[in-house]
Amino acid sequence: MPNDSVAITTICSDVENSQFMVHSLYPDEDNSGTRNITTSENDINDTDSSNIQSVVTLPRIKILGTGGTIASKGASASNTAGYNVDLTVQDLLSSIPDISNVCELEYEQLCNVDSKDIDESILYKIYNGVAKSLQSFDGVVITHGTDTMAETAFFIESTLDVGEVPVVFVGSMRPSTSVSADGPMNLYQAICIASSPKSRGRSVMVSLNDQISAGYYITKSNANSLDSFNVRQGYLGNFVNNEIHYYYPPVKPQGCHKFKLRLPSANEEPIFNFPKVCILYAHQAFTTDLLEIVCKHYEGIVIATMGAGSLPEAVNKKCLSLDLPIIYSKRSRDGMVPTANMPQPEGSDKSQSNIIASGYLSPEKSRILLQLCLNNKYSMDEIRHVFNGVYGG
Ligand SMILES: NC(=O)C[C@H](N)C(=O)O
């Protein structure tokens, strides 16, 4: 029998869903950050075989640590604001139940920051960390602040073909020091999700507060509550008492365009250098003032419009006159911006203009998508085609 084999025991009533829960007979842990399970034939023979169903190799999971509230400490147990990032992935792993039975684990600290500080150099580290892990692991977990988790998840979904490997983003809403901190359970669940064969082919996911969602669509919808991530496109599944319940068979997001990136070479700075795109937030009495300033400094603009693409006529006119792509997104968290609501350029049809509807994408995801298009030097038509994938364009 190979050394990396272990025996499975069923630990929940739903046998099908419990397949990923693997109990080693003789777990053996080293201090290197890698948890291995080794069993010998004698070990297995010595054990009560009544609950042994079969023998399998544990899935290999890579955890990439980036920081966030999940890795934060507050001043007191009642503190749920004003805390600081202070814990490593290794610290986080010590707060969860023994998972040496679930997977073989390796971890790597890519950075340790609040997600507001994630810039193009950190994004490159995360991209690189995931890309490398895909080559030799069965699942990837990324600990990340929740504020910009949706952006990183969307970026990874748009730039990496993860194949069958589940890539699971996880964070928390309370710091590790608070009463009822949610981080340990969220992390435990994320590791189980990444380890489950049922998660294969589901691409980039976000796991928070027992809910599993698609990284492509997720939005942080509440600045404080544990149930912070809501997604109108529907949760993919639920995690209850060690059972993963997927509501649908594996599926990838509709219309997601995959970008091939040019990566920095060994003698270049390890950073992405994407074209600059800014977001303007529209409101009553919104004028062309800001547009006039930013159009000189940015290669593309996203506007969080009122409703489903509404902007004052003077702003529409100004946008149409500019020589750069402008994406009309929305202030409303839900719903979409349809092409039908885009302004009509004089003397030509809407498909000829520089204004493109964001479809279902939020302003921050539209910004990333436009940056990726511009980075690949897409024409206006090609950009429109990409946004059309999410029913915009
Ligand atoms: N809940 C969180 O993780 C929020 C934190 N400010 C972050 O995004 O890093």
Side-chain angles (χ1 to χ4, degrees):
M1 177 170 302
N3 261 358
D4 57 358
S5 294
V6 291
I8 296 180
T9 60
T10 304
I11 60 133
C12 62
S13 55
D14 182 346
V15 175
E16 212 191 347
N17 281 320
S18 70
Q19 281 170 352
F20 70 97
M21 296 304 296
V22 180
H23 278 201
S24 73
L25 301 174
Y26 293 92
D28 172 18
E29 197 171 315
D30 66 26
N31 295 324
S32 66
T34 305
R35 290 170 142 194
N36 290 316
I37 295 193
T38 51
T39 53
S40 70
E41 202 151 355
N42 286 345
D43 292 338
I44 288 182
N45 289 341
D46 283 343
T47 308
D48 173 9
S49 61
S50 60
N51 59 354
I52 298 176
Q53 293 181 336
S54 61
V55 173
V56 294
T57 303
L58 286 174
R60 298 189 69 227
I61 303 300
K62 180 72 176 264
I63 305 199
L64 302 170
T66 74
T69 298
I70 192 168
S72 294
K73 278 172 155 176
S76 76
S78 57
N79 230 205
T80 56
Y83 43 77
N84 291 309
V85 175
D86 201 19
L87 296 173
T88 62
V89 190
Q90 191 169 11
D91 297 327
L92 302 186
L93 286 171
S94 65
S95 69
I96 65 170
D98 179 22
I99 33 127
S100 59
N101 304 325
V102 175
C103 59
E104 280 183 27
L105 207 57
E106 282 186 28
Y107 54 81
E108 187 180 343
Q109 193 76 48
L110 297 178
C111 60
N112 219 6
V113 298
D114 187 292
S115 72
K116 68 178 160 47
D117 293 320
I118 293 189
D119 58 14
E120 290 181 355
S121 70
I122 294 182
L123 203 56
Y124 177 68
K125 280 186 189 163
I126 299 174
Y127 172 92
N128 208 24
V130 177
K132 278 191 187 152
S133 305
L134 290 173
Q135 291 163 20
S136 41
F137 289 86
D138 301 304
V140 184
V141 172
I142 302 145
T143 59
H144 195 294
T146 57
D147 289 345
T148 68
M149 183 185 286
E151 285 162 76
T152 308
F154 179 83
F155 177 80
I156 295 295
E157 182 68 274
S158 302
T159 53
L160 278 173
D161 183 355
V162 305
E164 291 292 294
V165 179
V167 174
V168 186
F169 280 81
V170 64
S172 79
M173 292 301 290
R174 291 186 181 145
S176 66
T177 40
S178 82
V179 185
S180 298
D182 52 331
M185 184 50 112
N186 288 347
L187 178 59
Y188 174 74
Q189 293 185 351
I191 295 171
C192 293
I193 290 164
S195 305
S196 169
K198 291 192 161 227
S199 302
R200 295 188 69 74
R202 293 179 187 273
S203 218
V204 179
M205 292 179 276
V206 169
S207 156
L208 200 96
N209 202 38
D210 302 338
Q211 310 285 3
I212 310 165
S213 354
Y216 191 78
Y217 281 120
I218 198 79
T219 311
K220 184 168 182 176
S221 57
N222 191 303
N224 322 99
S225 111
L226 299 195
D227 191 20
S228 171
F229 282 4
N230 280 301
V231 59
R232 287 285 185 211
Q233 285 75 14
Y235 292 116
L236 302 178
N238 193 26
F239 193 110
V240 177
N241 193 29
N242 271 332
E243 294 175 10
I244 299 171
H245 303 146
Y246 282 113
Y247 305 137
Y248 316 101
V251 70
K252 296 192 178 180
Q254 167 94 1
C256 170
H257 189 87
K258 293 280 182 197
F259 292 84
K260 201 166 166 37
L261 298 178
R262 191 193 78 81
L263 301 176
S265 60
N267 47 10
E268 283 177 315
E269 218 190 322
I271 184 172
F272 286 128
N273 253 319
F274 294 133
K276 281 169 67 186
V277 173
C278 71
I279 301 175
L280 299 180
Y281 196 94
H283 48 79
Q284 286 185 346
F286 187 67
T287 66
T288 58
D289 294 1
L290 286 175
L291 268 174
E292 271 164 44
I293 298 169
V294 299
C295 70
K296 298 183 190 107
H297 305 283
Y298 290 84
E299 290 173 53
I301 299 173
V302 174
I303 307 184
T305 67
M306 297 166 268
S310 300
L311 288 175
E313 217 26 62
V315 177
N316 284 334
K317 265 205 176 126
K318 179 72 197 172
C319 286
L320 285 168
S321 75
L322 295 174
D323 191 22
L324 75 181
I326 303 186
I327 310 299
Y328 277 24
S329 184
K330 63 218 156 61
R331 301 190 313 191
S332 318
R333 195 198 71 192
D334 297 320
M336 58 95 67
V337 178
T339 307
N341 284 350
M342 294 303 93
Q344 177 83 40
E346 235 170 86
S348 70
D349 64 65
K350 289 178 186 178
S351 68
Q352 304 301 309
S353 94
N354 62 324
I355 298 180
I356 296 173
S358 73
Y360 285 92
L361 294 183
S362 63
E364 59 273 23
K365 288 182 182 176
S366 302
R367 174 185 157 271
I368 292 170
L369 195 60
L370 182 55
Q371 280 189 306
L372 290 170
C373 289
L374 292 170
N375 190 52
N376 282 12
K377 307 213 177 324
Y378 283 10
S379 67
M380 205 67 88
D381 265 0
E382 288 168 324
I383 298 174
R384 189 182 307 285
H385 176 77
V386 168
F387 276 88
N388 195 257
V390 279
Y391 302 101

